[in-house]
Amino acid sequence: MENTMGKSNTGDKANVRVVVVGDSGTGKSSLIVTAAAETFPQNVPPVLPPTRLPADFYPDRVPVTIIDTSSSMEHRTKLAQELKLADAVVLTYACDTPATLDRLSTFWLPELRRLEVKVPVIVVGCKLDAREDTQVSLEQVMSPIMQQFREIETCIECSARSLIQVPEVFYYAQKAVLHPTAPLFDQETQTLKPRCVRALKRIFILCDEDRDGALSDRELNDFQVKCFNAPLQPSEIVGVKRVVQEKLSEGVNDRGLTLTGFLFLHALFIEKGRLETTWTVLRKFGYDNEIKLRDDLIPLSFKRAPDQSVELTTEAVDFLKSIFNLFDLHGDGALRPAELDDLFSTAPESPWSEAPYRESAEKTALGGLSFDGFLAQWALMTLLDPVKSVANLVYIGYQGDIASVLRITRRRRLDRKKQQSDRNVFQCFVFGPKGSGKSSLLNSFLGRPFSEAYSPTTTERFATNTVDHLGGNKKTLILREIPEDGVKRLLSSKESLAECDVAIFVHDSSDEKSWKRATELLVDVAGHGEDSGFEVPCLIVAAKDDLDPFPLSIQHSTRVSQDMGIEAPIPVSMQLGDLSNVFRRIISAAEHPHLSIPETEAGRNRKQYRQFVNRSLMFVSVGAAVAIAGLAAYRVYAARKNTSG
């Protein structure tokens, strides 16, 4: 199982730029001229102009541009500029001058780090023919340096004068760029890197057509043809399996090559320096140099208006249901943490291991995700980052048409006109002053027990869950908690409310200051909606209903509700678990987006002014019509008078 093509897949790199650096007199210019001309020059200038090795110089058929540099102090700025443009660095020392070898670790390699040169480094010992001590091996010399400087990709000795290993220098430099080690292999632990393992596991599963956990001879041969355009002979298949079985008994079973064996083979290729084999496989299956699927395989944007959102289609949900059941090994209707990790083990990393997805869904007693929780988590990812959602669907095995997994919803502005919404996923912004109970509301939405301990929320937080709605319908509700300190920043953007279906305003019903601040926030948000044209239904939530209300709370709340034209506050107590169907009521408000839209005094004045202007225009129109009619009547009368005259 190896690359038998003349040209391997090179990740679409059109040219490789190699910058040659090192102490003066180490043979940089002679090395470059000899590589290009294939003869040793008698005279070379101190610094050569850029030298180009044509595409057909090496098997990968990618041209190489070699940049010579000066090591003198007055050219340090120029050197730094060239290094910033480098794809790879060739760092030279002279085999007959030990001091130049010492300078690699005392000056050159630290200098490359200081300049933040993050490309492969090829260390080259020039003037091999002039070295007197031939007892010391290259490995003995370079091993301590390579331990300290992991950016060194390869070490090689050469002689331009004797034409020993000169073309190999730039071949290794080119190879380090086209087929880099760093994304695939951890030099420190001598193991495949996690992302590489995950990609190879996905490729293995895609090639294991009968899903029996092993690649049969036919599947191995199909894989070889797909990647390298050449079949494997039966004797070669036997040979491949024998190599694996000798080193790793579990790498082969009676059905064929196992995943363990497949991974072992790639580790073996890399250890032997045949990285192009693994890279060809990865690139044939659409991976880029970061071992993620290429951009052209995943749509990078979904054109939509600010008040449209993205949801999963029925087809995507059906696929996720089949995947959920496949990985629910315990059959308990939930994915435990290990099962969820296994489900995402073919993605570059688990997409839900960090904020905002971590801790955003309801968990079972064993820390698992129910199917509803699983779908709610996908709905959140699709809403916030549809590209990430599509990519992960593909990573976990979706092979259908990408266009059929997402739907873009109708504009919210149009929903308000039509007085209904056909969305399945609603986003609710949760506003309120510090200590009002916002976080407790989100926790109760996720089925978490009430806690007396107060920890202020400093960054936005999401909670997503499925809500059983009227008539047996299920809707996904996403609560987005906005910290009090973040409201001003949120409202600084004109379109900030465009993606909001409902806004709720939580206050501590026992604290008058909390109520006043919540109403201020309500007025700010309602005013922003009126100004921007992205008006949203609003509900007031009176939290901590188990405590005594502040004096005149009912009168205050009634007045505000009536003045702004919205529902009376919904009383809830997270401590007692009495939530007054608040989540269903949020869904109801979202489904009827023309109701519960608050009206501020400024908005009311503007509306009255517009009505006044419209009425005035109407009177002007009527007046003009009367005047025109009168003029026409006068003309008729005048005409008749003239006729009779």
Side-chain angles (χ1 to χ4, degrees):
M1 197 176 76
E2 186 177 354
N3 187 354
T4 55
M5 296 163 62
K7 180 191 173 191
S8 62
N9 195 321
T10 57
D12 297 328
K13 189 87 176 158
N15 181 65
V16 172
R17 189 179 179 89
V18 180
V19 176
V20 182
V21 300
D23 281 349
S24 179
T26 53
K28 298 190 292 294
S29 302
S30 296
L31 171 67
I32 296 167
V33 172
T34 307
E38 298 182 25
T39 56
F40 180 69
Q42 293 308 313
N43 295 300
V44 288
V47 178
L48 295 167
T51 303
R52 191 173 185 274
L53 303 183
D56 59 1
F57 205 87
Y58 294 122
D60 279 314
R61 300 194 63 80
V62 175
V64 177
T65 302
I66 307 170
I67 307 297
D68 194 9
T69 61
S70 167
S71 56
S72 62
M73 286 303 292
E74 61 266 29
H75 293 111
R76 280 295 149 84
T77 306
K78 172 79 172 148
L79 176 68
Q81 287 170 347
E82 291 293 2
L83 285 167
K84 279 188 167 56
L85 300 172
D87 293 317
V89 172
V90 163
L91 176 55
T92 62
Y93 69 94
C95 291
D96 63 339
T97 314
T100 61
L101 175 64
D102 295 339
R103 288 257 302 162
L104 298 184
S105 48
T106 59
F107 174 73
W108 283 107
L109 289 160
E111 178 69 358
L112 293 178
R113 283 186 178 179
R114 188 186 69 78
L115 293 170
E116 296 183 352
V117 177
K118 293 184 167 42
V119 297
V121 176
I122 313 298
V123 172
V124 181
C126 299
K127 306 186 182 183
L128 179 60
D129 57 289
R131 189 173 71 186
E132 292 173 3
D133 180 12
T134 55
Q135 300 302 308
V136 183
S137 72
L138 178 63
E139 192 177 343
Q140 286 173 292
V141 170
M142 290 308 304
S143 193
I145 299 173
M146 288 184 81
Q147 287 291 326
Q148 189 181 350
F149 298 95
R150 295 282 174 183
E151 55 269 41
I152 299 173
E153 186 87 13
T154 310
C155 299
I156 184 172
E157 291 177 326
C158 70
S159 167
R161 186 183 297 277
S162 304
L163 304 181
I164 298 170
Q165 295 205 121
V166 173
E168 285 85 342
V169 169
F170 298 103
Y171 170 68
Y172 284 128
Q174 184 203 56
K175 189 176 169 181
V177 175
L178 301 180
H179 313 296
T181 306
L184 304 184
F185 199 70
D186 189 324
Q187 303 275 21
E188 196 114 10
T189 59
Q190 291 291 294
T191 55
L192 294 173
K193 284 195 171 173
R195 194 175 275 190
C196 177
V197 170
R198 295 165 87 98
L200 289 173
K201 180 178 179 181
R202 176 172 171 267
I203 291 166
F204 178 90
I205 291 167
L206 290 173
C207 295
D208 180 19
E209 290 174 10
D210 58 8
R211 298 285 184 269
D212 66 348
L215 297 184
S216 65
D217 290 1
R218 184 185 63 79
E219 289 167 340
L220 260 179
N221 193 55
D222 290 347
F223 165 80
Q224 175 77 10
V225 170
K226 178 181 171 73
C227 293
F228 306 113
N229 291 347
L232 280 170
Q233 298 304 315
S235 59
E236 290 176 307
I237 293 176
V238 170
V240 165
K241 291 199 285 194
R242 189 187 300 122
V243 166
V244 173
Q245 205 155 23
E246 282 173 1
K247 298 280 176 70
L248 202 70
S249 59
E250 66 269 31
V252 177
N253 62 24
D254 56 355
R255 293 187 300 278
L257 185 72
T258 65
L259 173 62
T260 311
F262 185 72
L263 295 173
F264 168 77
L265 265 183
H266 283 281
L268 199 61
F269 290 141
I270 293 166
E271 276 181 43
K272 291 189 172 180
R274 299 215 306 265
L275 288 100
E276 61 273 20
T277 303
T278 300
W279 274 118
T280 300
V281 169
L282 289 167
R283 286 169 180 147
K284 280 287 180 183
F285 281 86
Y287 287 90
D288 62 15
N289 275 12
E290 293 180 357
I291 318 192
K292 287 185 171 182
L293 287 173
R294 292 193 318 268
D295 292 347
D296 60 299
L297 298 176
I298 306 289
L300 284 180
S301 64
F302 296 89
K303 201 173 179 185
R304 60 192 189 276
D307 60 344
Q308 288 179 294
S309 54
V310 184
E311 296 181 359
L312 293 170
T313 60
T314 309
E315 184 172 329
V317 170
D318 288 345
F319 167 74
L320 288 172
K321 189 169 189 175
S322 67
I323 283 288
F324 182 92
N325 292 333
L326 183 67
F327 284 88
D328 179 16
L329 300 178
H330 292 87
D332 56 358
L335 290 182
R336 299 182 189 184
E339 291 169 337
L340 193 64
D341 287 345
D342 198 21
L343 185 147
F344 284 119
S345 66
T346 49
E349 46 268 318
S350 175
W352 300 340
S353 57
E354 293 177 2
Y357 308 105
R358 188 179 171 85
E359 302 300 322
S360 66
E362 184 172 4
K363 300 282 175 67
T364 65
L366 294 171
L369 269 180
S370 68
F371 179 60
D372 282 348
F374 180 68
L375 280 188
Q377 195 86 304
W378 274 99
L380 174 62
M381 182 161 67
T382 306
L383 181 91
L384 298 181
D385 193 344
V387 174
K388 184 174 185 173
S389 194
V390 169
N392 278 283
L393 281 169
V394 175
Y395 284 130
I396 66 171
Y398 181 78
Q399 294 184 63
D401 178 10
I402 284 175
S404 64
V405 296
L406 298 184
R407 67 179 279 262
I408 294 174
T409 63
R410 191 168 65 190
R411 294 191 65 172
R412 288 178 175 85
R413 198 172 280 178
L414 201 55
D415 284 349
R416 285 198 294 279
K417 273 187 185 172
K418 293 195 176 286
Q419 303 190 354
Q420 62 179 23
S421 172
D422 65 347
R423 294 164 194 268
N424 296 311
V425 180
F426 295 109
Q427 181 171 201
C428 170
F429 286 16
V430 181
F431 295 98
K434 291 185 183 76
S436 59
K438 299 187 297 297
S439 297
S440 293
L441 183 70
L442 266 72
N443 287 339
S444 67
F445 183 50
L446 300 179
R448 293 178 189 164
F450 175 78
S451 169
E452 289 279 6
Y454 174 64
S455 173
T457 304
T458 53
T459 56
E460 285 191 2
R461 177 192 162 200
F462 290 85
T464 179
N465 213 338
T466 305
V467 176
D468 292 322
H469 199 36
L470 305 170
N473 286 334
K474 285 190 173 185
K475 298 286 184 183
T476 301
L477 177 61
I478 293 168
L479 300 182
R480 176 178 170 184
E481 181 182 354
I482 314 290
E484 185 185 358
D485 297 339
V487 175
K488 190 175 180 181
R489 186 169 54 82
L490 176 80
L491 298 183
S492 65
S493 162
K494 184 189 174 185
E495 296 173 348
S496 57
L497 296 178
E499 55 191 6
C500 174
D501 292 297
V502 187
I504 63 170
F505 297 83
V506 183
H507 69 279
D508 175 350
S509 59
S510 70
D511 182 351
E512 189 171 2
K513 282 183 183 172
S514 180
W515 159 253
K516 282 183 176 172
R517 181 64 186 131
T519 56
E520 286 169 9
L521 291 170
L522 171 60
V523 170
D524 288 346
V525 170
H528 188 277
E530 289 167 344
D531 293 341
S532 65
F534 297 115
E535 296 161 300
V536 293
C538 293
L539 300 174
I540 302 172
V541 174
K544 307 186 186 181
D545 193 45
D546 48 291
L547 303 177
D548 291 333
F550 69 86
L552 301 176
S553 64
I554 294 172
Q555 291 91 321
H556 281 307
S557 60
T558 304
R559 181 176 55 78
V560 168
S561 301
Q562 287 176 348
D563 283 356
M564 299 192 79
I566 60 175
E567 281 184 44
I570 303 165
V572 298
S573 168
M574 271 68 84
Q575 185 163 17
L576 300 178
D578 182 3
L579 298 172
S580 304
N581 279 328
V582 66
F583 305 121
R584 274 191 189 169
R585 289 165 82 166
I586 291 170
I587 295 281
S588 240
E591 286 186 320
H592 304 94
H594 60 299
L595 304 174
S596 304
I597 292 181
E599 194 173 50
T600 64
E601 195 173 340
R604 198 159 38 246
N605 291 340
R606 269 203 301 272
K607 193 186 279 184
Q608 285 168 352
Y609 176 71
R610 276 199 302 272
Q611 287 169 345
F612 167 72
V613 168
N614 289 340
R615 274 202 304 274
S616 301
L617 287 171
M618 195 173 72
F619 288 138
V620 167
S621 302
V622 169
V626 168
I628 290 163
L631 187 63
Y634 172 75
R635 282 180 181 152
V636 170
Y637 168 75
R640 280 178 184 164
K641 195 172 181 185
N642 290 340
T643 306
S644 62

